[in-house]
Amino acid sequence: NELVVKATGGNVSSPIMYGLMHEDINNSGDGGIYAELISNRAFQGSPRFPSNLDGWSPVGGAQLALKNLSQPLSAALPTSVQVSGEKGMIGLANSGYWGIDVKKQKYTGSFYVKGEYEGKFTVSLQSALGDKEVFGKVEVESQSVAGEWTQHNFTLVPRKNAPNSNNTFALTFKAEKAKNRSLDFNLISLFPPTFNNRPNGLRPDLVEAFAALKPKFLRFPGGNMLMGNTIDSYWKWHLTLGPLKDRPGMAGTWSYQLTNGMGLIEYMQWADDLKLEPILGVWAGLSLDGAFYDPNQTAEAVQYALDEIEFLTGDAKRTKWGAVRAALGYPKPWRIRYVEIGNEDWLAGAPASYEAYKNYRFPMFYKAFQERYPDIQIIASPSVFDNMTIPAGAAGDWHPYLTPDNMVDSWDRLDPLTRDNLTIVGEAAVTHPNGGLGWNGPLGSNPWWIGSVAEGIFLLGVERNGDKVIGVTYAPLLRNLNRWQWGMTLVQHAADTKLTTRSTSWYVWKLLGEKPLKNTLPVTINKGGINPLYWVAGESDKGTSLFKAAVYNTTEPVSVSVRFEGQEKKGAKATLTVLTGPEDPYGFNDPFTGVNVVKEMKKTLKAEAGGVYKFSLPRWSVAVLETEKR
Ligand code: AHR
């Protein structure tokens, strides 16, 4: 292939091309990026997942019983646990989210208790096995009284790192010193250090894995989580705010109850911390069971969405919801520039629900937002590929979940779009193998190298259309290795931070995403052509030229000769980074062996006469060539 990158004539790329998408799936929120270590901390339940004692066990011969007391901790948390026993230190232990990572670092915790007790509580982190080695403990003087819930706070620094994450948290008290030898507990919480030291914050190793991708936007809160399984169980933003004792939690759509500890504000703080543009999904009156709102009900859903924007962006003194935000401790308004109306509204309950979306649900939202927030870019949850007509000024959302071959075939799918029907690729991943049953077969469980290369080629196609695409993100991002509903994710994790695994796709998305294009540049083909080599070329905002490429299904390495028009100096330098994978294209990064099959090669190339850079790319590879500053 002999290629010449023209000096002018391309398109301006979206400034937020690569991003992130998050919803609580695969315990990616609770038990994932949300750093809370205690599972089932407040016995939250819903009709779908009734309150239970999962994760808890008695200590010292205690009896544990769930109670809905006449005087609960709060209206949001009506259920608590009663701990009773005869004598000695009794209490309860929690096994965390499939274990607890115990390190010599500061843990911050708290619990609420009700009942007369004149003694001390002991909280400890200990091994779950055998002789129960205690890694750290602290005593907390009781302030507990009858007839009132009292919060107790503590910090704890274990004296050493535990050898593994098979650990528990225990909270005990002396039975004889408690009136009636019984106390009630609720909202028992423990956090390790969090990213940016945010209280109620996020798990550093996971945030860092995403920060390293240099993302530019965060699409949240879903995904199916936004929609709810039933029409009354969607993600209600106003119930995810404020003190944890005022958050009831909700029935998640991925078969477990959610705490909503990771609420609207926590998402915005994540966006703040990584300087991400929030792309906020608002509920559009459709649930996963296919139920949808009529026009009158939709008017309420529209108002609910407008209130959410006012909550985030409204003036603290002059708007009702801005004042609510300020009262919660956040006087400074956020900025919201992108709002997506619903999630995959072409799917659940179609065709009736989709007709309703096209006929009145989307138009009602669009009109209301145009009137009230004309500067917000509205995104419809379907795309033109789902037979949605996107009105001028709005955008669509496309979610390709494909086989490797189909992902490669989709690389030019966006070419026919115009700037009148912008899109976001709000979720994308290779999910099924070539030659299998596609969506009639199971999802894979770790991204394979072949799929990651195919995603790379798809991303080159996205970048070529950078003036029509708002941004692109892999989804879902995270999978807890102990319980998951969706296999292919960018990063795998468990309680033990040593198991945090960046998939083969993570490496590809990072290589392409960390050097964003400011604008594309046309490429003239003197020899060769697209397939098996795919490419995009352009300029960065750092004054360098970029040529990004990938090689798919071929047996021979592909030779590449690239010249950047106007940069004909012999001896000029460029850095070539090439990712290659294992012999077996279905090889993957295995969290349990720790084997990383991705190899990165970086070298400096010197331009030959006429400014030509020559190199060869192996089969199944992804590469970026970046010149020095011009
Ligand atoms: O990313 C997993 C799911 O795929 C999302 O919740 C949904 O939007 C899509 O169907």
Side-chain angles (χ1 to χ4, degrees), residues 23 25 223-225 254 343-344 347 399 401 427 475-476 486:
E23 64 173 322
I25 178 175
N224 290 357
M225 178 173 84
W254 294 102
N343 178 65
E344 295 190 342
L347 191 56
H399 294 175
Y401 285 118
E427 301 177 20
W486 188 289

Side-chain angles (χ1 to χ4, degrees), residues 6 28 38 130 155 189 274 386 393 396 436 448 488 523-524 560 591 607 618:
K6 307 296 280 179
S28 61
I38 307 298
T155 57
S189 170
L274 298 195
D386 310 304
W448 316 285
M488 301 302 238
V523 176
T524 309
V560 188

